[in-house]
Amino acid sequence: KEYTVAVVGATGAVGQKMIQLLEHTEIPLKKVKLLASKRSAGKTVSFKGTDVTIEETTDQSFEGVDIALFSAGGSITTRFEQAARQSGAVVIDNTSAFRMDPETPLVVPEVNPEALANHKQLIANPNCSTTQMVVALKPIHEAYGLDRVIVSTYQAVSGAGVEAIEELDQQNASLLKGEKPQAAILPSSGDKNHYQIAYNVIPQIDLFAEEGYTFEEWKMINETKKIMGLPDLKVSATCVRVPVKYGHSESVYIEIDRDDVTVTDLQALLAQADGVIVQDDPANQLYPLATESEDKKETFVGRIRKDPDVANGFHLWIVSDNLIKGAAWNSLQIAETMVKMKLI
Ligand code: A2P
């Protein structure tokens, strides 16, 4: 069978990466349909050497579409997912709209592909920071049991979309000219105040929610439990935006169920794990870097250390390209997995 794949949000930061990755997908393609807003309709994008015209997203856009990759914001998913499903498409959604819906599988293929089996033509792709973390935590949980996770993130501006990338570029240019930088997007386009991200670190991603945590932090907390199937796992998160364009970095503290595990054990375990590359050699200054993760599908893990005081506690540094494994690749990987499992 050959598949027609639609990308909704084709002009966005994630959508553009989806198009790049689709050029090399193992899914046999009949056609690629590129959808965005009315503003972008008529623009062309090169796909495998031919120009594809971007179309406005409407209820009729999904006729003949087998797989629809959505990444245009939660309101667009909510607006069009039913039309897409009614047309027979399987929707793979990169927004937070359906992630915690009990009917909707929330999937990282290295972690819980089995959750795809009972799909109702809608699969949610997790938050970027969560995805890379669970890729590394799943093998640790399987081997040694996982009790607690405390994560602090250093997240790239591309996670907030094309406009946030432009904002960082413009602020850097202004600062170099000695002008006052303008802020209109970050930390969250929906919030009242906007702060300079260039030469800065902002401890707010998304809006604030309950108990002083932001929605981004709650996403990491709740999605980690759902994907790993561990409702009682202790998880806390501090999500921070840094002036990096691509690649999220995370300092992750874990407590496992055993106190006889060594750093070498963890390195060996992770070196075998699906989707993980261990870069951990302090003597040679080898550790994961955001700049090196760009356009890679893997999650990079290093700086693995035992906590000085807690026998079952370890620290890890986990890095991945937020637009690739954190978004576009995980979505396409879900589609490829479903095709392989004969679910589409
Ligand atoms: P457009 O460029 O036409 O506005 P990002 O997350 O990088 O900001 O990208 C958001 C994506 O969502 C873009 O591709 C954008 O398309 C798309 N989008 C925004 N509004 C709509 C809409 N009403 N219908 C379909 N796509 C939309």
Side-chain angles (χ1 to χ4, degrees):
K1 180 178 172 178
E2 292 194 320
Y3 296 82
T4 296
V5 178
V7 176
V8 182
T11 54
V14 174
Q16 291 176 43
K17 295 289 182 182
M18 283 173 167
I19 297 167
Q20 267 180 34
L21 290 169
L22 271 169
E23 290 190 319
H24 307 284
T25 182
E26 59 188 43
I27 299 174
L29 291 180
K30 188 174 182 188
K31 192 179 162 190
V32 167
K33 225 169 161 179
L34 303 183
L35 304 170
S37 78
K38 204 175 180 169
R39 295 178 290 277
S40 304
K43 287 185 193 161
T44 58
V45 173
S46 160
F47 184 79
K48 291 189 178 180
T50 50
D51 282 349
V52 179
T53 304
I54 295 179
E55 298 165 51
E56 181 185 356
T57 314
T58 68
D59 286 339
Q60 284 70 50
S61 302
F62 301 95
E63 274 162 35
V65 171
D66 302 292
I67 301 168
L69 306 172
F70 274 68
S71 194
S75 59
I76 303 302
T77 298
T78 309
R79 168 70 185 79
F80 292 108
E81 55 88 16
Q82 280 194 3
R85 289 154 86 184
Q86 274 159 15
S87 302
V90 168
V91 172
I92 301 172
D93 179 32
N94 193 49
T95 79
S96 62
F98 289 92
R99 287 179 191 151
M100 295 312 297
D101 170 25
E103 297 277 285
T104 305
L106 179 65
V107 175
V108 176
E110 289 89 343
V111 180
N112 62 337
E114 67 284 350
L116 292 167
N118 297 317
H119 77 94
K120 299 186 168 66
Q121 287 173 262
L122 175 60
I123 319 294
N125 186 80
N127 169 268
C128 42
S129 304
T130 310
T131 301
Q132 66 183 62
M133 186 171 78
V134 297
V135 166
L137 294 187
K138 157 80 184 228
I140 298 175
H141 168 66
E142 274 194 337
Y144 305 123
L146 190 62
D147 182 52
R148 169 164 223 179
V149 181
I150 301 174
V151 53
S152 295
T153 69
Y154 305 67
Q155 295 184 224
V157 296
S158 54
V162 165
E163 288 181 326
I165 304 175
E166 288 166 5
E167 182 163 278
L168 174 60
D169 279 338
Q170 281 164 9
Q171 291 180 356
N172 280 329
S174 299
L175 285 160
L176 286 172
K177 284 189 278 183
E179 293 166 4
K180 191 176 159 34
Q182 303 295 311
I185 308 285
L186 293 168
S188 170
S189 56
D191 215 339
K192 294 183 290 293
N193 296 315
H194 300 292
Y195 302 120
Q196 176 186 329
I197 183 65
Y199 302 175
N200 207 1
V201 168
I202 305 180
Q204 180 191 351
I205 298 183
D206 208 330
L207 302 170
F208 278 93
E210 297 86 46
E211 296 180 64
Y213 286 78
T214 61
F215 279 110
E216 186 82 352
E217 290 160 351
W218 282 118
K219 285 176 214 167
M220 286 199 82
I221 294 167
N222 295 326
E223 294 177 19
T224 298
K225 297 179 201 213
K226 177 168 173 177
I227 299 161
M228 297 198 51
L230 297 172
D232 297 327
L233 182 67
K234 302 179 192 105
V235 188
S236 177
T238 303
C239 293
V240 179
R241 191 75 72 189
V242 292
V244 164
K245 269 198 199 175
Y246 304 105
H248 287 354
S249 305
E250 302 176 337
S251 170
V252 182
Y253 171 72
I254 57 170
E255 288 176 5
I256 58 176
D257 288 345
R258 283 171 41 180
D259 54 16
D260 59 341
V261 175
T262 65
V263 167
T264 315
D265 291 336
L266 277 188
Q267 287 170 333
L269 175 77
L270 289 167
Q272 301 294 316
D274 271 359
V276 176
I277 293 180
V278 174
Q279 294 179 322
D280 195 14
D281 184 6
N284 289 303
Q285 284 178 284
L286 179 69
Y287 36 72
L289 290 170
T291 47
E292 299 299 309
S293 75
E294 197 178 329
D295 277 331
K296 310 257 167 60
K297 292 173 174 171
E298 291 84 6
T299 296
F300 300 87
V301 185
R303 301 294 324 275
I304 304 173
R305 286 154 294 152
K306 233 177 152 81
D307 188 85
D309 301 302
V310 180
N312 61 335
F314 285 88
H315 299 267
L316 305 96
W317 183 248
I318 302 177
V319 177
S320 192
D321 186 326
N322 55 299
L323 296 182
I324 302 292
K325 183 56 184 169
W329 167 237
N330 199 68
S331 287
L332 183 57
Q333 193 187 11
I334 289 172
E336 289 186 357
T337 307
M338 292 181 79
V339 168
K340 252 185 253 157
M341 290 168 79
K342 301 198 177 0
L343 294 169
I344 308 182

